[in-house]
Amino acid sequence: MKQLSLAALLLASLPSLAQKSKPAENLVQYAHPIVGTAKMGHTFPGATVPFGMVQLSPDTDTLSYELNGKYNPDMYKYCAGYQYSDKTIVGFSHTHFSGTGHSDLGDFLIMPTTGPLQLNPGTADKPQSGFRSTFSHATEVAEPGYYRVKLDDHNILAELTATNRVGMHQYTFPQSDQAHLILDLMAGIYNYPDKNVWTFVRVENDTLVTGYRQTNGWARTRTVYFAMTFSKPFTDYGSRNFAKRQVYRGFWGKFDQTKNFPDLAGEQLRMFFNFKTTANEKLKVKFALSPTSTASALQNLRTEAPGWDFDKVKGQAQQQWQQELSKVVIESPKKVDKENFYTAMYHAFLSPTTYMDADGQYRGLDQNNHKADGFTNYTTFSLWDTYRALHPLFNVLQPKRNADMVQSMLAHFDQSVERMLPVWSHYANENWCMIGYHSVPVIADAVMKGNAPFDANKALDACVTTARQARYDGIGYYVQLGYVPEDKSGSSVSKTLEYAYDDWCIAQMAQKLGRQDIYQEFNKRAQNWRNVYDQRIGFMRPKMADGTFRPRFDVLSTNDQGFIEGNAWNYSLYVPQDPAALIQIMGGQKRFVPHLDSLFTMHLPDKFFAETEDITRDGIIGNYVHGNEPAHHVAYLYNWTDQPWKTQARVRMILPKMYRPTPDGLGGNDDCGQMSAWYIFSALGFYPVAPGSPEYALGSPAVHGATLNLENGKTFRVNVKNQSDKNVYVKEARLNGQKLTRPFLNHQDIMNGGELTFTMAAKP
Amino acid sequence: MKQLSLAALLLASLPSLAQKSKPAENLVQYAHPIVGTAKMGHTFPGATVPFGMVQLSPDTDTLSYELNGKYNPDMYKYCAGYQYSDKTIVGFSHTHFSGTGHSDLGDFLIMPTTGPLQLNPGTADKPQSGFRSTFSHATEVAEPGYYRVKLDDHNILAELTATNRVGMHQYTFPQSDQAHLILDLMAGIYNYPDKNVWTFVRVENDTLVTGYRQTNGWARTRTVYFAMTFSKPFTDYGSRNFAKRQVYRGFWGKFDQTKNFPDLAGEQLRMFFNFKTTANEKLKVKFALSPTSTASALQNLRTEAPGWDFDKVKGQAQQQWQQELSKVVIESPKKVDKENFYTAMYHAFLSPTTYMDADGQYRGLDQNNHKADGFTNYTTFSLWDTYRALHPLFNVLQPKRNADMVQSMLAHFDQSVERMLPVWSHYANENWCMIGYHSVPVIADAVMKGNAPFDANKALDACVTTARQARYDGIGYYVQLGYVPEDKSGSSVSKTLEYAYDDWCIAQMAQKLGRQDIYQEFNKRAQNWRNVYDQRIGFMRPKMADGTFRPRFDVLSTNDQGFIEGNAWNYSLYVPQDPAALIQIMGGQKRFVPHLDSLFTMHLPDKFFAETEDITRDGIIGNYVHGNEPAHHVAYLYNWTDQPWKTQARVRMILPKMYRPTPDGLGGNDDCGQMSAWYIFSALGFYPVAPGSPEYALGSPAVHGATLNLENGKTFRVNVKNQSDKNVYVKEARLNGQKLTRPFLNHQDIMNGGELTFTMAAKP
């Protein structure tokens, strides 16, 4: 079904592409997967197609959760398995998160080696002690859909590409009688004792291996099935079971399971396959995944990657990327602008990931296999991050996929024994990470923007049921008291503010669908943000069950102040559903504007930075934290005052500061594309401050012009006159020739096609 | 499909039943599930339908494999979960083996309790220390399809019955505000650390719970799914995770998972469900199993047990048993004869067990779900035991089921990555227990007896492929040297003898199917028994790879003498395919008969008995070991001499000695019905010495007459004239009026219908 939808997209956007007289520019060249792989970006450089199930990438380490029995802080750096500063590669695994602040996956690590067989990865400081290899960035190429690196210790050139469900490896070996492929079924990202619950492998014949890996962890009950095939038969193979704990072995002792034995199972397995290679011989591996069974993995393999032409598969992958990147064609004299823009587009189109076999089967939250009826099922919903700008961006550039993502969320709801929409879900599991019920704004945004080819009333009911789950994260108190009491449920202010916003989204949907009772109930709940505002100090503040504000309070600290991933300064501005009311309660714009100014200009003492998670020093401007999400709308709040020009200035300051086309170019976790989506919108000159509202706040475009090629066949032009690094102020904005009197734009004006023309100036 | 086949059986045998003028006698009354539950019988007393997937039975203990870090020998007593001498019941679990000498299963233990909640079973010596209860055999009733007992400590009357895939519990409670149902997902038979790989539970609503249990063990990768429903809503519920090892818990800490939380997973879970009961209130539970998914378990529940009428379900179960037991209607003035006979029939019809959802889906050896196309899929194949008499019995009384069992074996072969037919398999796993490739005689017996509604050539190919697996248990050496060398592969003589017999079976099939090349190859292999016969001492004897017999040898010991579950005296007689040749090589009948006599009459010193596994002292007559299988054909070998009357005497001596209708009435493990099948054949007066041959050796009938109601609608009568305990000798045997000149009977003579008339006498 993925294939079909891609074909549909292709057809849909051909006319719009055709409108451009000159041949389509190669945009893939500007997207750099390596961006964000250093420090806190937590992106991966490997190969994948847009929203692919297989995201095949090098892991430079797979540290254990435990180090000498204690939590290992270094492990956090490996959320995506790769750190640019590392000198060695352990192998190439098939699943990765992009930009998350917590981690999992890293399934099925494959490493080609030469020389004496080694079944331990060895250590970074002593690479020779194991099968890992040193490498140099000089030999490394990371493009959308393609990755290449030289494994120096083994003298092997490794190349990776992928289809949706199949990773393709091409390893150019030296002449060797000791060529090996290691299949490490123990390796994983965010490993810890007993994360591997079970692994099962069958060597079906001398070119085909099937099996699965079942893990506990961030996803509590997670199973990934595979089918792996080689371009030539192995000479022999074997395995080792590293399980420390005694496991009953029954009568399997009749066999030597370590050598050429095809039937393996256990907790901690590593396998090896031996080959003899001639100089420069290309040994290829196709590795298919399935959420449901090894039979389906094999079917996925045969459906998507029947041949062995690596370059053909690579070409198809990059064609898919060209297709997706072409949805926005920007103009700029500076290559760096295109690099930033298309790298952001690339990162924005990595997740949610496809979670469905080629035939529509997927594993549900109830661990039963289900068939996706008329939609592509997706997983990896980092909703606390992505509801803000990523899903709104999809409503512009990926409406079909976004509608399918909503259907995936609704299927999740139908399978949820808690009767809740996804909070943070992946691979048929809810991991409950972060706060809020932010499936709601994603659904509301789709409904309010007319992108709802699903039962909107059923969707609304799912939102309401979710929002009434008294058992979940303080909702009971929230409904009863009008706020979450800090002494009952931590991060209470963040929860109260976000619940209130989510509730506003429900109210908007209910109103549109004519469900008055629901509208009344949730419009009232949407006001609850007022209950945690402390008038005396002018900040949102943790309130106790007895109705008093908690005395102990520090507006700069993010540590146990009633907030999560943000301090009072940033989070107090979180009323996206009604900035005007926020400004009023904070004393009107005369007091609000200077307050907002100081957020960007004040100095945040280091001790408070140290508390700020997930971001680098660059991720902060003054006390404005761009590296985390709660303040992503803040720069646009000036639009609700008489000084919108300050929004324009802030945005143009933030863009180049927070996004650079270098490995360390991201100021914080990319968070499954949310950071990148912020860039894309802002660079185009508008931003969805309150998803669920059809309105965008205008900012200041960074591009010199852009054409949005919409799925509906229409195009929306962004023209920018007098653009320059100095001319950051919008003197005038016209929609289809008509001057805009307010710094806002409506979603329908984009989807109808047309043009938005900014005239820039050096002064406000 | 099971339902259909039962209906078919019903119709098929009605006419034959009709032939009997008087109304059918209630035969269920004579079958006593309690027989064999003491000492070494390893049977279970609980409720099941014939060949049922659910075999719901009380467990009197669930000991751990380890006791203070060492193997716990007592655990062996609990192969079926129940020991008659015990004073307490831990609970009622849904799957059990019948009569095995190794163990597994015991899935989903349920225990009703009253009073303060206890989540530990407690110990047998201190029942009050846990949820287990004392009980008395005085309150215990064990009938086919029905079990009842009073749980004294909780003042609860427990009753059990079952459909094929659903166990039904009826618990009569006292008035109590503290009534509980414990669902123990940790409990299991043959437990040991980490046998539980994973458990997953969802409380779907206040009367429905679903989930699964995944175990390692005798079945290495085994998952059983369930759906459990209550006859009234619980008031509240909870769980405890007893996992000792640290397991990552992620963000589930947002919830209190111990109380009323519906979404549970982990390694070691016990759950409780609370109720308030009035005096004598009947609380009912329906517990459905599935090999494939919780969705299928729920479907099985709704298909087979839609209502709550316990007595109706019990009635249907007992009707099914009456149906099956009626396939042989015996005559005898002595109740004990009927009790022995129908108890044997009951035990013979417990396994193999149904392993397929109501819609035909089952889990394959490849751990994929498959659909059984046109047959009922069975599991639990204890083939080293059951090929001898049980499957031959099925070819007479259960031809359709036996053909389906063969199809199940062929499906197993198709899924086997070792390319082998089942050795000892259960629940989509091969456990490789015992020796030989005894799927072969089961298939050969079906083919040679014309009960092969499957592709016989494909079946033959599967047999040949299996028999050529050089990797398996010494077959490589066997093919190369003509015997298995003891210094390369233990129990080498037993393997050589049994491989040779299995090979003869392949040769018979090949000849019948006109596959000359295969016939030649395997007819030659069938002679290999000669290679381990030591002419100088007159016994089969372990031979080394260099061709010399191992010097160290003891013909009485079963301990490391080249045999398994038998000594040289018993095993040396194992050439069922050609007793005449064996007698000749052993010096002709003049030497053979006294040799055979002494087997039954000699005294086996205690030290050797101590080595004899799986049987009680009663399981031995002289040095003849009936409690194990290798000598099951031996009493019939006199038929190949001029003194067949000795067979008659031996059989009539063995029958009452080895089978009594008491808890300790079985001389050894019933071995999934093999011991019982020996009784049934022998009591009817004939026995299949060499399955794969259509010939039965005549013995001495113990019944006074019998009518076999065959599935083909025909009846075969066994008439016995002058029958008495003293008249054990057959003066004359006539088939359809014609005097038999040889003490043998052909299978087709039975299936064609007709009558076999024995005239008995007190002297040979």
Side-chain angles (χ1 to χ4, degrees), chain A residues 65-66 102-103 190 192-194 197-205 212 214-221 223 225 237 245-252 254-255 257 259-267 292-296 365-369 414-418 420 423 429-436 471-473, chain B residues 65-66 102-103 190 192-194 197-205 212 214-221 223 225 237 245-252 254-255 257 259-267 292-296 365-369 414-418 420 423 429-436 471-473:
Chain A
Y65 180 82
E66 282 190 357
H102 197 302
S103 52
Y190 209 86
Y192 51 84
D194 311 310
V197 171
W198 201 247
T199 42
F200 178 83
V201 180
R202 285 159 56 100
V203 181
E204 308 279 356
N205 58 49
Y212 64 80
Q214 180 181 351
T215 55
N216 172 36
W218 207 24
R220 189 173 60 177
T221 303
T223 308
Y225 301 84
Y237 68 100
R245 292 174 299 112
Q246 178 58 35
V247 173
Y248 175 89
R249 293 201 160 65
F251 297 89
W252 289 86
K254 284 185 180 183
F255 304 100
Q257 294 182 69
K259 292 201 199 73
N260 301 316
F261 191 70
D263 195 351
L264 303 165
E267 278 187 351
T292 63
S293 70
T294 60
S296 296
L365 204 56
D366 54 8
Q367 298 306 310
N368 287 316
N369 291 342
D414 289 340
Q415 297 151 10
S416 163
V417 74
E418 292 89 4
M420 289 187 70
V423 172
N429 282 257
E430 174 58 79
N431 63 47
W432 305 112
C433 185
M434 295 306 291
I435 61 170
R471 161 166 54 199
Y472 178 71
D473 230 8
Chain B
Y65 181 81
E66 282 188 356
H102 196 302
S103 51
Y190 208 85
Y192 49 84
D194 311 311
V197 171
W198 201 247
T199 43
F200 178 84
V201 180
R202 285 160 55 101
V203 181
E204 307 280 356
N205 59 48
Y212 64 80
Q214 181 181 351
T215 56
N216 172 36
W218 207 24
R220 189 173 61 177
T221 303
T223 307
Y225 300 84
Y237 69 99
R245 292 173 302 113
Q246 178 58 35
V247 173
Y248 176 90
R249 294 201 158 63
F251 297 90
W252 289 87
K254 284 185 179 182
F255 304 100
Q257 295 182 67
K259 293 200 198 74
N260 301 316
F261 190 70
D263 195 350
L264 302 165
E267 277 186 352
T292 63
S293 70
T294 60
S296 295
L365 205 56
D366 55 8
Q367 300 305 310
N368 287 316
N369 292 341
D414 289 340
Q415 297 151 10
S416 163
V417 74
E418 291 89 4
M420 288 187 70
V423 171
N429 282 258
E430 174 58 77
N431 63 47
W432 304 113
C433 185
M434 295 306 291
I435 60 171
R471 161 167 53 200
Y472 177 71
D473 231 9

